Amino acid sequence: MRTQVVIVGGGPSGLLLGQLLHKRGIDAVVLERKTRDYVLGRIRAGVLETGLVALMEQAGVADRLHREGFVHDGTQVAFNGEMFHVDFKKLTGTPVIVYGQTELTRDLYDAREASGAPIEFEVDDVVIHDADTESPYVTYRLHGQDKRIDCDFVAGCDGFHGVSRQTIPLTVRREYEKTYPFGWLGVLSETPPVHDELIYSNSERGFALCSMRNDHLSRYYIQCALSDSPEDWTDDAFWQELKRRLPEAVADRLITGPSIEKSIAPLRSFVTEPMRWGRLFLCGDAAHIVPPTGAKGLNTAASDVQYLLTGLCQWYEDGDSDGLDRYSEKALLRIWKAERFSWWFSSLLHRYPDQSEFDLKMQQSDIAFLRDNEAQQRAFAENYVGLPY
Ligand code: RFL
Ligand code: PHB
């Protein structure tokens, strides 16, 4: 088989790229290791920048997002039992949209299915060959059969644990990583959200986040030890701990209920450079990871997709390689800024095991500065709603 672009990974990056290419008349085959239901069972991101929303519009898959997504004009930050508001709309003119990654991925799967564009699920042993030549190809196994696709380009959209990044030789690849000494315990519950905006809370017992998916579905997180497992936490223990980490007035309003999902995610900052090797281009979590504190993971994947789409369209439509040649440089410039923001916002809100009294004072005054200084709030808001592409 032959196609123009093989997309390894059918998560949000791969599906969005596939749909945008399809709209521009460029053929792609998506290869996904898991089943559709498995991918849709992963509860992840909830906050979309308007840049990602614009790409969903361009892909023709934004109708439900506009109908069901919540427009958030700001966010709440809590510390010392108080809470303050950062007004994104006033400071930047731009809101964010709260719409689950699960739903966005479902919309993209439905669109791919409706368009008849090829996607193979449950593929094994994907290997990318000759990426540093003009004739790359990809081999894999599907239901026990060996398959091969020849192509012009390979998009590595297979997440942090995928094969694409590993295809780039270690002599070329440079990796930057920071791990954090805690995780996030997340709970999804069929209860109304406690507030109409997200609440990011710094408390002496550790970080907490109140988020949502819709009017009757809430998503809450608390900082936990890396050694914890979800089974260690009964629903009761989770709700009690969450309440202790929120201002009293908020805790009193919190409606609790049985969890319908409970999981722990470690926090990591990670970037690989370059994001291109020959005709292989890395996109999304395959190339970089941020701690979820600034809600940047899915949104940085989207800017990669935009830069790669532009490069591929220039190549196919004008025979110009400039966009592809500059892909890695352009993508990384934006990625590192999102890495900085996510790292800073994480350091503002969590308790670290080795934090001294001095460190705590610094953290408290950093938050107070954000509360009291409009320039700082604007810088925060610009980062949160998404820096320009
Ligand atoms: P994904 O979603 O990991 O998808 C990669 C896909 O590739 C498949 N795959 C393979 N397929 C074929 N062959 C192989 N060898 C393969 N290896 C892997 C996988 O099965 C999978 O389907 O990466 P992608 O598409 O780059 O998307 C990235 C986002 O999923 C991620 O950045 C976000 O979820 C991060 N994130 C958040 N991002 C936001 O922008 N806003 C948020 O509010 C937000 N909250 C979060 C988050 C991530 C979290 N966790 C659990 C990591 C909250 C959490 C808790
Ligand atoms: C979520 O709703 O899952 C969510 C929201 C904001 C974040 C991280 C996760 O910063």
Side-chain angles (χ1 to χ4, degrees):
M1 198 195 332
R2 191 181 160 79
T3 190
Q4 289 173 303
V5 183
V6 171
I7 299 176
V8 184
S13 316
L15 292 168
L16 180 59
L17 177 66
Q19 206 52 31
L20 289 162
L21 288 173
H22 178 73
K23 286 270 166 193
R24 299 293 285 259
I26 299 169
D27 291 334
V29 176
V30 177
L31 302 177
E32 168 56 47
R33 189 172 55 177
K34 302 287 190 183
T35 62
R36 173 185 162 128
D37 285 348
Y38 182 94
V39 176
L40 291 177
R42 295 191 286 227
I43 309 295
R44 288 182 164 186
V47 179
L48 315 184
E49 295 174 0
T50 49
L52 170 50
V53 174
L55 285 175
M56 290 290 285
E57 283 165 1
Q58 207 179 314
V61 283
D63 288 354
R64 194 162 71 98
L65 189 163
H66 282 306
R67 250 192 345 265
E68 297 178 14
F70 290 170
V71 177
H72 280 208
D73 288 340
T75 195
Q76 303 285 330
V77 179
F79 84 122
N80 281 348
E82 295 169 27
M83 202 156 79
F84 63 91
H85 173 67
V86 181
D87 192 330
F88 302 150
K89 201 65 197 295
K90 188 183 92 196
L91 292 159
T92 70
T94 310
V96 290
I97 310 295
V98 171
Y99 188 69
Q101 178 170 328
T102 307
E103 300 312 315
L104 175 139
T105 310
R106 192 191 308 280
D107 295 341
L108 286 163
Y109 275 143
D110 288 349
R112 190 150 192 97
E113 217 168 85
S115 71
I119 175 161
E120 307 261 45
F121 288 101
E122 297 181 86
V123 302
D124 280 322
D125 301 333
V126 170
V127 182
I128 301 163
H129 304 263
D130 295 353
D132 58 338
T133 72
E134 293 194 350
S135 320
Y137 64 100
V138 177
T139 57
Y140 57 99
R141 281 179 76 72
L142 182 64
H143 307 138
Q145 280 200 318
D146 290 324
K147 303 269 189 177
R148 169 178 169 145
I149 311 181
D150 292 272
C151 55
D152 300 328
F153 299 101
V154 180
C157 301
D158 49 354
F160 185 65
H161 300 287
V163 296
S164 299
R165 185 175 69 253
Q166 313 294 342
T167 304
I168 303 180
L170 280 168
T171 48
V172 175
R173 179 157 45 106
R174 174 113 197 245
E175 298 187 339
Y176 302 84
E177 182 168 32
K178 177 179 172 61
T179 53
Y180 297 77
F182 40 73
W184 277 21
L185 169 64
V187 156
L188 191 68
S189 71
E190 284 170 327
T191 52
V194 67
H195 197 282
D196 56 6
E197 289 184 344
L198 270 62
I199 303 173
Y200 288 92
S201 180
N202 172 312
S203 102
E204 57 191 27
R205 299 183 65 90
F207 169 74
L209 169 61
C210 305
S211 183
M212 66 200 72
R213 291 295 175 267
N214 56 47
D215 282 330
H216 44 266
L217 196 57
S218 297
R219 181 71 166 159
Y220 295 104
Y221 298 94
I222 55 173
Q223 173 184 352
C224 66
L226 276 176
S227 53
D228 284 3
S229 69
E231 301 77 55
D232 299 337
W233 286 86
T234 62
D235 287 356
D236 252 9
F238 177 85
W239 293 121
Q240 268 184 36
E241 188 56 36
L242 176 64
K243 283 183 178 185
R244 287 196 196 112
R245 298 182 187 193
L246 298 173
E248 216 176 296
V250 177
D252 288 348
R253 275 203 317 270
L254 182 77
I255 298 176
T256 64
S259 65
I260 54 173
E261 196 265 358
K262 197 187 280 160
S263 52
I264 292 184
L267 271 70
R268 185 195 306 276
S269 297
F270 173 89
V271 180
T272 192
E273 293 186 349
M275 286 172 58
R276 174 215 185 154
W277 184 57
R279 289 188 170 228
L280 167 65
F281 296 84
L282 303 180
C283 270
D285 280 15
H288 42 77
I289 298 286
V290 286
T293 325
K296 289 286 154 246
L298 180 59
N299 291 301
T300 45
S303 55
D304 295 349
V305 165
Q306 157 73 39
Y307 296 134
L308 184 54
L309 175 76
T310 306
L312 289 169
C313 290
Q314 261 179 22
W315 170 275
Y316 283 113
E317 290 164 12
D318 313 323
D320 180 357
S321 69
D322 186 60
L324 292 179
D325 292 339
R326 297 191 49 214
Y327 169 72
S328 180
E329 176 200 336
K330 286 187 78 166
L332 284 166
L333 190 63
R334 190 171 189 277
I335 295 310
W336 276 114
K337 290 177 186 163
E339 290 284 343
R340 187 208 65 81
F341 175 67
S342 309
W343 160 82
W344 168 78
F345 199 32
S346 298
S347 74
L348 194 73
L349 297 175
H350 291 82
R351 278 288 178 278
Y352 289 69
D354 60 352
Q355 235 165 357
S356 66
E357 291 293 310
F358 181 84
D359 295 335
L360 283 169
K361 285 284 188 193
M362 289 298 99
Q363 195 184 52
Q364 293 283 305
S365 66
D366 209 352
I367 303 181
F369 187 56
L370 176 65
R371 180 192 56 196
D372 301 335
N373 185 282
E374 192 177 300
Q376 180 74 344
Q377 282 204 4
R378 180 168 293 111
F380 171 80
E382 282 179 8
N383 279 282
Y384 197 95
V385 304
L387 297 173
Y389 284 7

